[in-house]
Amino acid sequence: MDDSTLKSLSIVLPTTKSVIKFEPAFSPTVKNYTAYVASDTEALQVRASANEPDAFCQILKADAAQSVAIKEGTSDIEIKVDAPDGSSSLYVIQVYRPSGSDATLKYITFSAGSLVPEFHRSETTYLLHVDSCVRSVLCSATPLNPKSKVQLDPEAKLFLGDTPISIQVTSAHGDNTNTYQIIARKEKQGSRPALAPVASISRESICSACGYLVFRPRTCNEVDDKTCAHRFCFTCLDLLKLEFNAGHRSGEYPCPLCPRTAQKIWSSNPSIDVPMEAQLAAVQVACLFAAYGCEQQLDMMGVYDHAQSCTFHPVSCSECEMSNCVKPVEILDGKHKEACTTSCVCGRKIRVADRPRHSQMCPSKFELPSKTVVTQSSWESALVRRQRSPNDSAGCIKAAEENKKNYLRSLIAAKEAAATESFGQSQQRPDNDILEEMANLYATAIALQHEACLGGGADENLHLNLGLVLEESCASKELFPISVATETGPSENDLAQESFMADEVDGLLEQLGIARSASDAVKIRAIESEYQRLKGEGLSDKAAEVQGLYAWKIKQVAATSGTSGWNQGHTKIGITTYSSNVLEKFQHAVAINPENPYANFHLGRALLKARQIPEATKYLRTAVGHKPLFKNARMLLGLALLSSESPTEDILLEGIEYLQEAVREHSALLWQDVKDRNLKRASQIPSQMLVDSFMELTNPFLPSAYVALASGYSMQGLPQQAAEVLTDLIYLIPDTLRRLSRRSATAARLAFIMSEAQRDLIKVLPHCSGPVPKLRAEIISGSLLDVARRYMSLYANVEGIEGLKCDTMESIVQTLVAVHPRKAKFLTALGFAQLDQYDKNPIYDRSPAKLGEAEQSFLAAIEAEGGHDPSQDARLPPGLVSSQKWWIAYQQEMTSMQWKISSHDASKVAHQPVAGKAPAAGKTTPLRSKDAKIANPKVPAPVSKAKIETAGGNKKPTPLAKGRGVAISSKPAR
């Protein structure tokens, strides 16, 4: 007898008795609804019945026919239900009656894609994100006023990138119109499709910034009635334009690449270049899996759709662990049909093709160092938290593993938030406090284990994990920097509290007989011993006070230590610096167990990042020797080999092979990610921290692997392969940059690597066949200086990378001068770059030699400005620039590459490779190469770019120091 709910509820038009739908569908427990009616609806009749027969149901403000008047705008229909026991319920239907002048939509629906933001009738601009394989979408729109007229194309044919869709609504009275603009957007998907030989490319179809086909092209809009000659990808344009543009009206900005004397003005919302989108959709490309046997050529629009069902889609071999890079015809039951692995005498499984190489690094042939007992350093002791940690090392490890899961959840949440924002505007970041707690737990576990085993039986994995956690904290802050607005200093109360705690700690230490000059570790141990004594004597109150002082002292040491402690992992580091604490932990892990491949790998990785190439190579070889199929170790070993001081022919080939594996796997993962995109991943936890994510471009080693592989190809005289790899990298980087903060050191380094890749493209594209590579080289060389300067401005607020900026700019300008030796603009830029090296790069320490180079470059620019003297060689820069070391090194590099190219041309008849040859069982070949097999002629080693030794007046070239761009931080020749 206490039921005050309705059994049924509906509203109808009094004249036609047509039922008006409302949302949501009726339910006795739902009390609020929304309905929309036409502009000429003046009343609605309500039909309602109560669940309880004795309940009283009343339609408020209704007439005798149970009709409620509806006015223009919003009207509420209220139904009150009174139960016999006195309880009541109120149901409300909010009815919206538009005016005859209303020209808004009620709904927009599409057959595919997701609309951003969610539809609202007052919002008229949207993005519709669709998959790359979608050719068209069906569109329908329902006006708010049923008598309004809607004009739209019911089936929109989609372009390769952005497709504009327009929906026009005209009011019932015909006195008002409203246009909804939707951009159907396709993102770059998977790896870059290679252009077919028959592809026809115009200058207008190449982006002036990245030097490849424009993706989502934009036009100038001719704000000032002047046509701009530059064309941009939407993302490249978004990267290069600066937020503040002095001297221009709101909504306008100057072209990023036009000279100031003839700068064109762009709209802040440039239009989609529809004709160019149509032209690009028809460009002929090869199948994404051409290297695996597919010979089909198709238009760009159809390549991703074709890839979904292509029978040449590469597969994996579970035996040799080659992931998604094997021809399907070579696989049976998940393994190569032919034997692809064998066992070494050391008992390890190796690939058949690796047998000769493994014999040189087999652990059975080397006497490894004996295990060493390690002790905790003072900085590590400062991380120990006995009071807040479990009493045994196993408990600490378990707690740390649980914390890791929580951190990884926060990491994937931060990544997902960044993926939906531009330039890292999302404030969501990984929880670094969890990392601090993990470091405390691992340090405590190491201390407890050391005490329990009296120094013996140590677990190297604890030291590895501690080092990785410290490194992860630094990587996290570089990738997700804290915004300036959230960085605040301590308040006056905080300072007063700090002073009080410092006095209390000093007083306690004085009572314990500890001198002020004692180390922090001694002070911390003394306070801890006092806490244990008080706790043992049952003086819990005093013990709690000492515990508070202990916790404050630990925090104070971690926050103020400049060379040790937790703070070391948090300091901002440059490209060539590295945390000594992280390196120490990896060294401890190797000392405890020299045979652990992961310990050797991480130590080699740390040394490679610190640019200690010979030592890094040593430990990475050990890692591969003990675990021959260790993919990440093979990739970094390839990077180290191509960064070595004297890469012989065999070293080059080995390094190239390892990096081919890595780049091919990355390409396969990109495509696999496209196929899996629709899977629900919200509940999944990423399995890797940032420092272990080697297949992501935000990890510095992956883009460096691309550049190094291209450099290896160049040194082998394979410019076409080098250009393909560099173009693949440039194709991927802009979209990654757009998701990262402009204050991110990771983003800055990635932008500089892109500039270095374009620099290297200028070297190899002129040696490639066909008109398109030469056209791209011309466009890139004409814009690279301005693009690089733009990136320097974009990341001007990033700390700790000044030396990298100087190195990158100088190396870029050196190449531009080498290509255009008589151009005053580039010679002037070279002088300024060398002057910046002298002033800002601590490596040069204000070297007089570098200052002298800058002076020579400026004088050469002045001479070039005056015009060319016919008596001088036009291939040489004016003045003394041609005597600078970098010029000599560049000429030697180009001569060596040209010699190699000529050798290949001469041997093509005798050694004709198979086009698009895929890797055989346990073997690899260059990517997307028409002559994929690397020739191995007996030729002299490439000559050095950096050193010239003179004896008896004759210049004698030394072996090549390193391929330009192969190192983690490409530096100009010094």
Side-chain angles (χ1 to χ4, degrees), residues 719-901:
Q720 183 67 43
Q721 287 89 325
E724 293 286 348
V725 172
L726 291 170
T727 304
D728 286 342
L729 179 62
I730 293 170
Y731 177 81
L732 297 171
I733 286 181
D735 290 289
T736 302
L737 286 177
R738 196 167 182 269
R739 296 192 293 268
L740 302 179
S741 168
R742 287 177 172 172
R743 300 184 68 250
S744 166
T746 302
R749 292 167 189 163
L750 193 56
F752 299 160
I753 287 178
M754 179 171 174
S755 295
E756 292 170 358
Q758 290 178 299
R759 172 204 66 194
D760 292 347
L761 267 176
I762 296 175
K763 301 177 185 178
V764 298
L765 284 174
H767 299 280
C768 299
S769 59
V772 174
K774 295 174 178 58
L775 176 60
R776 290 183 60 206
E778 178 187 344
I779 292 174
I780 294 173
S781 62
S783 63
L784 179 55
L785 178 60
D786 294 318
V787 170
R789 285 173 172 169
R790 209 72 174 181
Y791 282 139
M792 301 298 170
S793 299
L794 185 66
Y795 300 102
N797 295 325
V798 178
E799 299 180 10
I801 60 169
E802 194 62 46
L804 175 63
K805 290 168 65 176
C806 294
D807 287 341
T808 302
M809 182 56 75
E810 186 183 15
S811 68
I812 288 171
V813 182
Q814 285 173 352
T815 300
L816 292 173
V817 170
V819 176
H820 304 281
R822 312 291 299 189
K823 198 164 186 177
K825 174 183 176 180
F826 294 151
L827 288 166
T828 302
L830 177 61
F832 279 116
Q834 291 166 335
L835 197 58
D836 282 343
Q837 292 280 37
Y838 171 80
D839 282 333
K840 301 175 182 179
N841 196 337
I843 293 178
Y844 290 98
D845 193 24
R846 302 183 74 83
S847 165
K850 183 57 67 175
L851 184 61
E853 288 183 355
E855 182 180 1
Q856 292 172 356
S857 299
F858 285 131
L859 290 174
I862 294 173
E863 184 176 341
E865 192 70 34
H868 173 57
D869 184 352
S871 64
Q872 296 179 345
D873 190 344
R875 296 171 298 176
L876 295 176
L880 299 176
V881 173
S882 59
S883 66
Q884 295 179 9
K885 289 183 178 179
W886 71 265
W887 174 271
I888 299 171
Y890 183 92
Q891 299 305 319
Q892 292 173 342
E893 179 185 357
M894 292 297 101
T895 301
S896 176
M897 183 172 70
Q898 189 60 56
W899 196 94
K900 285 273 192 172
I901 294 172

Side-chain angles (χ1 to χ4, degrees), residues 333-389:
D333 297 330
K335 297 181 181 180
H336 275 104
K337 295 177 180 178
E338 299 180 4
C340 56
T341 62
T342 185
S343 294
C344 178
V345 293
C346 64
R348 292 171 174 83
K349 182 171 72 172
I350 61 173
R351 293 176 186 167
V352 172
D354 286 343
R355 183 158 40 192
R357 240 172 238 142
H358 179 75
S359 64
Q360 301 175 10
M361 62 179 87
C362 179
S364 64
K365 296 188 176 182
F366 300 93
E367 183 176 349
L368 291 173
S370 58
K371 296 183 178 181
T372 306
V373 176
V374 298
T375 58
Q376 281 191 314
S377 303
S378 58
W379 68 265
E380 189 177 342
S381 300
L383 296 177
V384 176
R385 300 287 191 275
R386 296 179 184 271
Q387 289 75 27
R388 295 185 300 173
S389 304

Side-chain angles (χ1 to χ4, degrees), residues 599-728:
N600 281 278
F601 166 69
H602 284 296
L603 179 55
R605 178 179 62 82
L607 291 168
L608 182 60
K609 192 172 182 180
R611 297 192 50 75
Q612 299 180 32
I613 306 301
E615 285 295 300
T617 305
K618 168 187 171 184
Y619 289 105
L620 290 170
R621 276 206 183 278
T622 303
V624 175
H626 282 82
K627 190 175 175 62
L629 304 184
F630 193 174
K631 295 179 182 178
N632 293 337
R634 292 167 71 94
M635 180 180 86
L636 296 198
L637 177 56
L639 190 54
L641 292 174
L642 292 183
S643 303
S644 59
E645 288 294 327
S646 303
T648 63
E649 190 77 7
D650 290 338
I651 287 178
L652 284 177
L653 292 175
E654 182 181 5
I656 288 172
E657 181 174 323
Y658 292 148
L659 293 183
Q660 283 173 351
E661 295 175 8
V663 170
R664 184 180 291 110
E665 181 178 358
H666 180 236
S667 177
L669 286 174
L670 288 172
W671 178 247
Q672 192 64 35
D673 186 60
V674 172
K675 295 182 67 177
D676 297 342
R677 78 165 63 226
N678 294 324
L679 297 178
K680 294 182 178 179
R681 300 181 181 182
S683 61
Q684 292 186 0
I685 301 175
S687 59
Q688 295 176 325
M689 298 193 298
L690 294 174
V691 294
D692 290 325
S693 302
F694 292 95
M695 286 293 110
E696 295 184 9
L697 285 176
T698 50
N699 187 299
F701 294 109
L702 181 60
S704 295
Y706 272 87
V707 176
L709 178 58
S711 181
Y713 283 149
S714 297
M715 287 187 280
Q716 283 292 302
L718 300 170
Q720 183 67 43
Q721 287 89 325
E724 293 286 348
V725 172
L726 291 170
T727 304
D728 286 342

Side-chain angles (χ1 to χ4, degrees), residues 326-568:
V326 185
K327 278 185 176 182
V329 296
E330 297 177 357
I331 294 294
L332 179 64
D333 297 330
K335 297 181 181 180
H336 275 104
K337 295 177 180 178
E338 299 180 4
C340 56
T341 62
T342 185
S343 294
C344 178
V345 293
C346 64
R348 292 171 174 83
K349 182 171 72 172
I350 61 173
R351 293 176 186 167
V352 172
D354 286 343
R355 183 158 40 192
R357 240 172 238 142
H358 179 75
S359 64
Q360 301 175 10
M361 62 179 87
C362 179
S364 64
K365 296 188 176 182
F366 300 93
E367 183 176 349
L368 291 173
S370 58
K371 296 183 178 181
T372 306
V373 176
V374 298
T375 58
Q376 281 191 314
S377 303
S378 58
W379 68 265
E380 189 177 342
S381 300
L383 296 177
V384 176
R385 300 287 191 275
R386 296 179 184 271
Q387 289 75 27
R388 295 185 300 173
S389 304
N391 296 325
D392 61 328
S393 60
C396 291
I397 296 171
K398 184 177 180 180
E401 290 173 348
E402 288 299 317
N403 277 336
K404 182 178 180 180
K405 294 179 181 178
N406 294 330
Y407 168 75
L408 291 176
R409 289 190 183 95
S410 73
L411 176 60
I412 195 172
K415 286 184 175 182
E416 289 176 346
T420 60
E421 299 287 341
S422 295
F423 302 113
Q425 294 176 4
S426 171
Q427 296 299 313
Q428 189 161 1
R429 292 174 176 79
D431 193 342
N432 277 24
D433 291 339
I434 297 177
L435 294 174
E436 183 171 354
E437 182 63 26
M438 290 173 64
N440 298 150
L441 288 166
Y442 282 126
T444 304
I446 292 172
L448 292 171
Q449 189 181 75
H450 183 79
E451 294 171 1
C453 303
L454 298 179
D459 184 355
E460 72 273 14
N461 293 315
L462 291 178
H463 296 265
L464 270 181
N465 288 332
L466 177 55
L468 289 171
V469 168
L470 293 174
E471 187 180 8
E472 179 74 8
S473 176
C474 182
S476 174
K477 290 196 171 185
E478 287 192 345
L479 186 57
F480 301 96
I482 300 174
S483 62
V484 177
T486 60
E487 293 180 351
T488 58
S491 64
E492 292 185 4
N493 290 336
D494 292 336
L495 294 174
Q497 178 68 16
E498 290 292 300
S499 177
F500 171 78
M501 294 298 291
D503 292 341
E504 289 292 307
V505 169
D506 290 342
L508 174 61
L509 292 172
E510 186 176 350
Q511 292 177 14
L512 297 176
I514 304 299
R516 288 179 178 267
S517 60
S519 67
D520 288 327
V522 171
K523 294 177 181 179
I524 289 171
R525 283 195 292 267
I527 298 174
E528 183 180 2
S529 298
E530 178 65 7
Y531 165 78
Q532 297 291 352
R533 182 186 71 80
L534 294 172
K535 186 177 180 181
E537 294 179 2
L539 302 174
S540 56
D541 291 341
K542 291 185 177 181
E545 293 178 6
V546 173
Q547 185 180 21
L549 296 177
Y550 173 86
W552 178 87
K553 183 62 179 175
I554 288 287
K555 183 178 178 181
Q556 185 259 346
V557 169
T560 60
S561 174
T563 57
S564 61
W566 174 257
N567 189 55
Q568 179 74 12

